[in-house]
Amino acid sequence: MAAPLRPAPQQPAPRRPAPAAPLGRDTSDVLQQIMAITDQSLDEAQARKHALNCHRMKSALFSVLCEIKGKTENTSQSACLFHLAMSIQQHQEEDPPDAQLLRLDNMLLAEGVSRPEKRGRGAAAGTTATPGGCPNDTSIAHSDYRAKLSQIRQIYHSELEKYEQACREFTTHVTNLLREQSRVRPVSSREMEHMVGMIHGKFTAIQRQLKQSTCEAVMTLRSRLLDARRKRRNFSKQATEVLNEYFYSHLSNPYPSEETKEELARKGGITVSQVSNWFGNKRIRYKKNTGKFQEEATMYTEKTSTATKVRGSGGQSSCQSTPSPGDKAMASIITHSSWQRATAPQPPSSPAGDSGSFNSDVSN
DNA sequence: TGGCATGATTCAAA
DNA sequence: TTTGAATCATGCCA
């Protein structure tokens, strides 16, 4: 059986100086050498380049290539339009990363990483408030934070500089290479710009990675600082007294309004969130073990009753803290009955309702 | 050092 | 969004 005719396998380009030969064969030979030049080692390529530059057909080949390029200009124009459209589309697709880059830039700027290091104190730490924290602890944490941030900033700028330097060097190298190639083939300025743009695009991607990892480092640092803020610190005696007084004088409905919370926070020198936390904990712990809190309850109700007698009939809490001999029993009854109803959102403007429920609880 | 007290956090329910 | 409940984490004291 006859084997089917197959196209002859492509022979690798001969790596030898072009001998004197007919024009067509000579041209294709030179072209093949150009094509193969990237496969060769640097020394070999250098020698090949020199041979090509000195080749007697070089100027003829160059003009032919220019002619071909000129003829295909129309085609290339449409190709350029296509590339332009593709590039626009690509840029549109890259919008999210660009937005991300913008966010990264903003964050680095906000954290003081993008800026050169400030000499003054509290450059970045000034932006982090620490409500309810201890000044000594936070200042230690902040100095630690600043030191770590400074390290991150140094690393970031050093790496950024390295990348920029590498980008410049590589761009110069590629530009020189293209200039070199322009002696053999026509290289338009647009091609050069395109190549430089590509290089810059690659290095921008690397820079984005750098910014991202820097942001992550800053976030980790911040979260560690936040963990440090989590440290528990007992409230001052005054704060505890203010809260307890309110709690036991409003035992029927220990749900202070937002305004009351603010007032209690101000009086105790703590934050509104801390007041909310305290009441949340107090309610649940009181309910769980009423007996344990009886002594405390008696103490505070007596205290507030004394204060009421001294102050007379004025004051917000005084009108709601009329102590009765049966406070202990009342507390336990209230705890197990009215709080369940009281968990429903309270009407913001019903102080009378508070005392009313208190009285009704007592009477019940 | 262990146990208790207590402020903070988390999560589900209303 | 607030609250209850559970849980964590830390301070304090015997």
Side-chain angles (χ1 to χ4, degrees):
Chain A
M1 268 204 278
L5 281 173
R6 289 183 187 178
Q10 278 188 337
Q11 296 298 321
R15 294 180 182 182
R16 55 185 166 73
L23 183 64
R25 177 172 179 136
D26 205 12
T27 309
S28 72
D29 198 21
V30 173
L31 278 171
Q32 279 188 359
Q33 284 182 51
I34 292 169
M35 298 289 282
I37 210 161
T38 51
D39 297 334
Q40 298 162 3
S41 71
L42 273 176
D43 289 342
E44 212 176 343
Q46 208 66 31
R48 189 72 55 198
K49 265 186 341 191
H50 182 71
L52 283 167
N53 283 334
C54 301
H55 199 278
R56 63 186 173 85
M57 297 298 296
K58 186 224 160 185
S59 57
L61 177 65
F62 189 83
S63 59
V64 167
L65 287 170
C66 283
E67 199 179 327
I68 293 167
K69 194 156 189 169
K71 277 181 185 170
T72 56
E73 202 166 30
N74 288 336
T75 321
S76 8
Q77 271 176 356
S78 54
C80 277
L81 283 173
F82 174 73
H83 280 300
L84 188 64
M86 290 298 287
S87 136
I88 289 166
Q89 191 186 351
Q90 195 181 354
H91 271 94
Q92 281 170 347
E93 281 168 2
E94 278 175 1
D95 262 344
D98 282 344
Q100 191 194 0
L101 190 63
L102 199 66
R103 278 198 299 277
L104 291 173
D105 279 337
N106 284 340
M107 189 189 161
L108 291 174
L109 199 66
E111 290 297 329
V113 175
S114 297
R115 295 190 294 268
E117 185 158 10
K118 282 187 181 174
R119 289 205 189 103
R121 287 189 59 204
T127 58
T128 52
T130 54
C134 172
N136 289 334
D137 279 1
T138 50
S139 65
I140 289 164
H142 282 179
S143 64
D144 196 29
Y145 177 77
R146 279 197 297 272
K148 296 261 166 54
L149 194 67
S150 177
Q151 281 180 3
I152 292 173
R153 188 189 294 120
Q154 279 177 6
I155 293 167
Y156 171 76
H157 282 292
S158 136
E159 290 294 310
L160 199 64
E161 205 169 326
K162 269 190 221 166
Y163 284 134
E164 278 169 359
Q165 171 114 14
C167 184
R168 277 195 300 272
E169 281 174 6
F170 193 65
T171 307
T172 312
H173 176 72
V174 169
T175 311
N176 287 341
L177 215 61
L178 285 172
R179 283 207 189 106
E180 185 96 8
Q181 283 192 14
S182 70
R183 294 167 66 186
V184 182
R185 66 179 183 91
V187 179
S188 67
S189 60
R190 189 182 289 174
E191 271 180 76
M192 283 229 193
E193 280 167 18
H194 177 68
M195 195 59 85
V196 169
M198 270 173 62
I199 293 163
H200 284 181
K202 296 285 176 199
F203 275 91
T204 304
I206 293 168
Q207 278 188 3
R208 183 181 287 134
Q209 286 280 331
L210 174 67
K211 283 177 182 175
Q212 191 152 6
S213 55
T214 307
C215 278
E216 277 166 15
V218 172
M219 292 301 281
T220 310
L221 191 63
R222 284 190 71 110
S223 72
R224 277 186 194 160
L225 183 76
L226 289 171
D227 283 348
R229 281 187 207 151
R230 188 189 160 116
K231 278 192 175 181
R232 196 180 67 79
R233 189 160 285 277
N234 287 346
F235 291 165
S236 66
K237 199 179 175 189
Q238 191 202 345
T240 315
E241 284 199 352
V242 165
L243 295 168
N244 273 316
E245 274 176 22
Y246 185 91
F247 181 81
Y248 288 111
S249 65
H250 295 78
L251 212 49
S252 63
N253 188 27
Y255 296 89
S257 65
E258 207 57 36
E259 290 78 14
T260 313
K261 280 180 192 171
E262 279 169 19
E263 196 186 337
L264 291 170
R266 192 174 47 78
K267 280 182 182 170
I270 53 177
T271 66
V272 175
S273 313
Q274 285 175 310
V275 172
S276 299
N277 284 338
W278 188 91
F279 272 91
N281 287 324
K282 191 73 179 180
R283 278 192 297 267
I284 191 76
R285 283 163 187 164
Y286 183 86
K287 199 194 269 189
K288 270 186 182 172
N289 195 351
T290 317
K292 199 182 83 178
F293 289 96
Q294 287 309 320
E295 202 179 324
E296 197 179 59
T298 312
M299 191 186 84
Y300 276 103
T301 44
E302 277 173 2
K303 206 172 181 179
T304 47
S305 77
T306 312
T308 307
K309 279 174 189 167
V310 169
R311 282 202 303 264
S313 58
Q316 184 207 0
S317 61
S318 63
C319 63
Q320 294 164 351
S321 61
T322 43
S324 67
D327 264 342
K328 292 178 185 178
M330 176 207 71
S332 104
I333 292 165
I334 288 165
T335 303
H336 294 101
S337 59
S338 66
W339 281 19
Q340 303 306 317
R341 276 179 279 126
T343 53
Q346 301 298 308
S349 58
S350 60
D354 254 357
S355 56
S357 66
F358 178 86
N359 290 332
S360 64
D361 282 339
V362 172
S363 61
N364 287 339

